[in-house]
Amino acid sequence: DIQMTQSPSSVSASVGDRVTITCRASQDISTWLAWYQQKPGMAPKLLIYAASSLQSGVPSRFSGSGSGTDFTLTINTLQPEDSATYYCQQANSLYTFGQGTKLEIK
Amino acid sequence: QITLKESGPTLVKPTQTLTLTCTFSGFSLTTSGVGVGWIRQPPGKALEWLAVIYWDDDKRYTPSLKSRLTITRDTSKNQVVLSMTNMDPVDTATYFCAHKGQGFGAFVYWGQGTLVTVSS
């Protein structure tokens, strides 16, 4: 089984800041990595697929990078509506989600 | 427009079998590369992928729950059904179904989710 480890588990930042969330896979997953945003009581929303491809309709302040085992989600110029929990998910071998990173806006 | 909606019981007793239905529209589960998956989320916890069924009727399950899960489809009704046997209180969660598009290693469209509570 492929395990996905996110860090940090929570982060607090101010409007206008840049935030980076890291996801590490327990083995090489190439670029089979997606990022989701989930707000309380809502279904997850796909942000990034194939490690760095921005899903249609997602603001360009969201970006993803990485390959192999190490990946990052970067949110530039943080907005109040970015307060949410973010999950990574691998699709190289079945599917596995990370444990989530809760982003709080100060 | 792609939509998915989960339906099923909100309360099940321990040891019972849970059967959930995902009814979808806006796509065909016979189109190459398409899949429908089930993902759950216990209250306050992370997402957990459970199962997926593909356009060619290939089925995959998360290893830790494989013995308890069955996923099937009815292409004429645009439905995917997930069954989970021997339910336990730890299986209390919101269960989501989601669409995996061709070329995407990700679930693009999601249902709203349905909360299932396991309690006697």
Side-chain angles (χ1 to χ4, degrees):
Chain A
D1 301 10
I2 298 177
Q3 309 302 317
M4 306 300 292
T5 304
Q6 288 182 233
S7 60
S9 57
S10 65
V11 58
S12 181
S14 300
V15 171
D17 284 353
R18 173 186 296 173
V19 169
T20 298
I21 298 169
T22 297
C23 183
R24 174 164 288 176
S26 60
Q27 63 189 72
D28 189 338
I29 61 168
S30 184
T31 57
W32 290 102
L33 193 283
W35 290 97
Y36 299 85
Q37 175 193 67
Q38 187 181 32
K39 297 184 178 182
M42 303 290 288
K45 173 187 176 183
L46 178 65
L47 300 175
I48 302 285
Y49 64 94
S52 60
S53 295
L54 191 68
Q55 171 63 3
S56 176
V58 174
S60 59
R61 64 180 181 273
F62 291 91
S63 64
S65 64
S67 66
T69 60
D70 294 315
F71 302 86
T72 58
L73 172 70
T74 299
I75 311 172
N76 288 302
T77 318
L78 203 61
Q79 298 298 303
E81 60 267 29
D82 298 335
S83 176
T85 300
Y86 293 83
Y87 293 93
C88 63
Q89 171 241 306
Q90 69 82 19
N92 181 72
S93 174
L94 303 180
Y95 303 90
T96 315
F97 288 90
Q99 80 277 20
T101 295
K102 186 173 183 179
L103 171 58
E104 174 194 73
I105 309 299
K106 292 178 184 175
Chain B
Q1 179 189 5
I2 290 176
T3 64
L4 304 96
K5 187 172 184 179
E6 306 86 353
S7 59
T10 58
L11 178 66
V12 298
K13 291 179 169 32
T15 76
Q16 287 186 336
T17 294
L18 171 68
T19 299
L20 294 172
T21 300
C22 176
T23 302
F24 58 86
S25 63
F27 69 95
S28 172
L29 196 40
T30 60
T31 299
S32 179
V34 171
V36 172
W38 285 93
I39 300 101
R40 72 177 179 179
Q41 186 172 39
K45 296 188 177 182
L47 300 165
E48 178 184 21
W49 171 73
L50 300 177
V52 66
I53 189 165
Y54 294 107
W55 82 99
D56 58 357
D57 206 32
D58 186 23
K59 303 162 187 176
R60 305 285 171 161
Y61 301 97
T62 189
S64 62
L65 294 170
K66 186 175 181 178
S67 63
R68 298 174 53 203
L69 295 171
T70 302
I71 190 169
T72 59
R73 66 179 185 174
D74 186 332
T75 54
S76 66
K77 294 183 179 179
N78 281 352
Q79 290 181 333
V80 171
V81 175
L82 180 75
S83 296
M84 180 181 291
T85 62
N86 194 24
M87 293 292 284
D88 183 271
V90 300
D91 297 313
T92 293
T94 296
Y95 288 76
F96 297 97
C97 64
H99 163 276
K100 191 200 83 64
Q102 181 184 16
F104 285 82
F107 297 100
V108 182
Y109 300 95
W110 292 64
Q112 63 190 22
T114 185
L115 176 62
V116 177
T117 301
V118 184
S119 175
S120 55

